[in-house]
PDB file of all heavy atoms in Angstrom:
ATOM      1  N   GLU A  65    -150.909 -55.927-130.346  1.00  0.00           N
ATOM      2  CA  GLU A  65    -150.034 -56.469-129.321  1.00  0.00           C
ATOM      3  C   GLU A  65    -148.650 -56.816-129.847  1.00  0.00           C
ATOM      4  O   GLU A  65    -147.652 -56.685-129.199  1.00  0.00           O
ATOM      5  CB  GLU A  65    -150.795 -57.668-128.921  1.00  0.00           C
ATOM      6  CG  GLU A  65    -150.001 -58.455-127.666  1.00  0.00           C
ATOM      7  CD  GLU A  65    -150.806 -59.505-127.166  1.00  0.00           C
ATOM      8  OE1 GLU A  65    -152.088 -59.451-126.861  1.00  0.00           O
ATOM      9  OE2 GLU A  65    -150.301 -60.676-127.110  1.00  0.00           O
ATOM     10  N   ALA A  66    -148.680 -57.341-131.014  1.00  0.00           N
ATOM     11  CA  ALA A  66    -147.310 -57.816-131.734  1.00  0.00           C
ATOM     12  C   ALA A  66    -146.515 -56.574-131.993  1.00  0.00           C
ATOM     13  O   ALA A  66    -145.195 -56.787-132.022  1.00  0.00           O
ATOM     14  CB  ALA A  66    -147.610 -58.484-133.065  1.00  0.00           C
ATOM     15  N   PHE A  67    -146.915 -55.436-132.116  1.00  0.00           N
ATOM     16  CA  PHE A  67    -146.053 -54.237-132.313  1.00  0.00           C
ATOM     17  C   PHE A  67    -145.396 -53.735-130.975  1.00  0.00           C
ATOM     18  O   PHE A  67    -144.448 -52.981-130.964  1.00  0.00           O
ATOM     19  CB  PHE A  67    -146.948 -52.992-132.852  1.00  0.00           C
ATOM     20  CG  PHE A  67    -147.273 -53.353-134.348  1.00  0.00           C
ATOM     21  CD1 PHE A  67    -148.694 -53.348-134.786  1.00  0.00           C
ATOM     22  CD2 PHE A  67    -146.214 -53.468-135.332  1.00  0.00           C
ATOM     23  CE1 PHE A  67    -149.048 -53.610-136.064  1.00  0.00           C
ATOM     24  CE2 PHE A  67    -146.726 -53.728-136.536  1.00  0.00           C
ATOM     25  CZ  PHE A  67    -148.055 -53.687-136.945  1.00  0.00           C
ATOM     26  N   GLY A  68    -145.932 -54.226-129.833  1.00  0.00           N
ATOM     27  CA  GLY A  68    -145.466 -53.847-128.639  1.00  0.00           C
ATOM     28  C   GLY A  68    -145.808 -52.455-128.131  1.00  0.00           C
ATOM     29  O   GLY A  68    -146.613 -51.743-128.758  1.00  0.00           O
ATOM     30  N   PRO A  69    -145.158 -51.898-127.145  1.00  0.00           N
ATOM     31  CA  PRO A  69    -145.579 -50.666-126.534  1.00  0.00           C
ATOM     32  C   PRO A  69    -145.435 -49.443-127.544  1.00  0.00           C
ATOM     33  O   PRO A  69    -146.123 -48.425-127.424  1.00  0.00           O
ATOM     34  CB  PRO A  69    -144.551 -50.474-125.327  1.00  0.00           C
ATOM     35  CG  PRO A  69    -143.829 -51.623-125.189  1.00  0.00           C
ATOM     36  CD  PRO A  69    -144.087 -52.541-126.379  1.00  0.00           C
ATOM     37  N   ALA A  70    -144.526 -49.565-128.443  1.00  0.00           N
ATOM     38  CA  ALA A  70    -144.428 -48.544-129.418  1.00  0.00           C
ATOM     39  C   ALA A  70    -145.518 -48.365-130.408  1.00  0.00           C
ATOM     40  O   ALA A  70    -145.730 -47.292-131.015  1.00  0.00           O
ATOM     41  CB  ALA A  70    -143.071 -48.687-130.167  1.00  0.00           C
ATOM     42  N   GLY A  71    -146.308 -49.404-130.440  1.00  0.00           N
ATOM     43  CA  GLY A  71    -147.428 -49.426-131.439  1.00  0.00           C
ATOM     44  C   GLY A  71    -146.963 -49.582-132.894  1.00  0.00           C
ATOM     45  O   GLY A  71    -145.892 -49.635-133.115  1.00  0.00           O
ATOM     46  N   PRO A  72    -147.936 -49.595-133.728  1.00  0.00           N
ATOM     47  CA  PRO A  72    -147.648 -49.821-135.214  1.00  0.00           C
ATOM     48  C   PRO A  72    -146.863 -48.587-135.776  1.00  0.00           C
ATOM     49  O   PRO A  72    -147.056 -47.467-135.345  1.00  0.00           O
ATOM     50  CB  PRO A  72    -148.969 -50.008-135.839  1.00  0.00           C
ATOM     51  CG  PRO A  72    -149.964 -49.265-134.857  1.00  0.00           C
ATOM     52  CD  PRO A  72    -149.484 -49.434-133.612  1.00  0.00           C
ATOM     53  N   PRO A  73    -146.019 -48.894-136.703  1.00  0.00           N
ATOM     54  CA  PRO A  73    -145.217 -47.804-137.240  1.00  0.00           C
ATOM     55  C   PRO A  73    -146.187 -46.909-138.057  1.00  0.00           C
ATOM     56  O   PRO A  73    -147.082 -47.369-138.720  1.00  0.00           O
ATOM     57  CB  PRO A  73    -144.284 -48.508-138.302  1.00  0.00           C
ATOM     58  CG  PRO A  73    -144.541 -49.976-138.204  1.00  0.00           C
ATOM     59  CD  PRO A  73    -145.638 -50.239-137.216  1.00  0.00           C
ATOM     60  N   PRO A  74    -145.958 -45.685-137.905  1.00  0.00           N
ATOM     61  CA  PRO A  74    -146.914 -44.618-138.527  1.00  0.00           C
ATOM     62  C   PRO A  74    -146.732 -44.772-140.065  1.00  0.00           C
ATOM     63  O   PRO A  74    -145.738 -45.022-140.562  1.00  0.00           O
ATOM     64  CB  PRO A  74    -146.450 -43.258-137.896  1.00  0.00           C
ATOM     65  CG  PRO A  74    -145.182 -43.537-137.509  1.00  0.00           C
ATOM     66  CD  PRO A  74    -144.967 -44.908-137.186  1.00  0.00           C
ATOM     67  N   ASP A  75    -147.730 -44.233-140.723  1.00  0.00           N
ATOM     68  CA  ASP A  75    -147.801 -44.071-142.192  1.00  0.00           C
ATOM     69  C   ASP A  75    -147.023 -42.829-142.537  1.00  0.00           C
ATOM     70  O   ASP A  75    -147.473 -41.730-142.219  1.00  0.00           O
ATOM     71  CB  ASP A  75    -149.237 -44.032-142.727  1.00  0.00           C
ATOM     72  CG  ASP A  75    -149.230 -43.950-144.212  1.00  0.00           C
ATOM     73  OD1 ASP A  75    -148.318 -43.727-144.879  1.00  0.00           O
ATOM     74  OD2 ASP A  75    -150.362 -44.071-144.796  1.00  0.00           O
ATOM     75  N   PRO A  76    -145.869 -42.993-143.092  1.00  0.00           N
ATOM     76  CA  PRO A  76    -145.077 -41.736-143.429  1.00  0.00           C
ATOM     77  C   PRO A  76    -145.765 -40.743-144.394  1.00  0.00           C
ATOM     78  O   PRO A  76    -145.671 -39.462-144.273  1.00  0.00           O
ATOM     79  CB  PRO A  76    -143.798 -42.171-144.120  1.00  0.00           C
ATOM     80  CG  PRO A  76    -144.100 -43.618-144.524  1.00  0.00           C
ATOM     81  CD  PRO A  76    -145.261 -44.156-143.559  1.00  0.00           C
TER      82      PRO A  76
END
Side-chain angles (χ1 to χ4, degrees):
E65 183 178 307
F67 290 118
D75 181 349

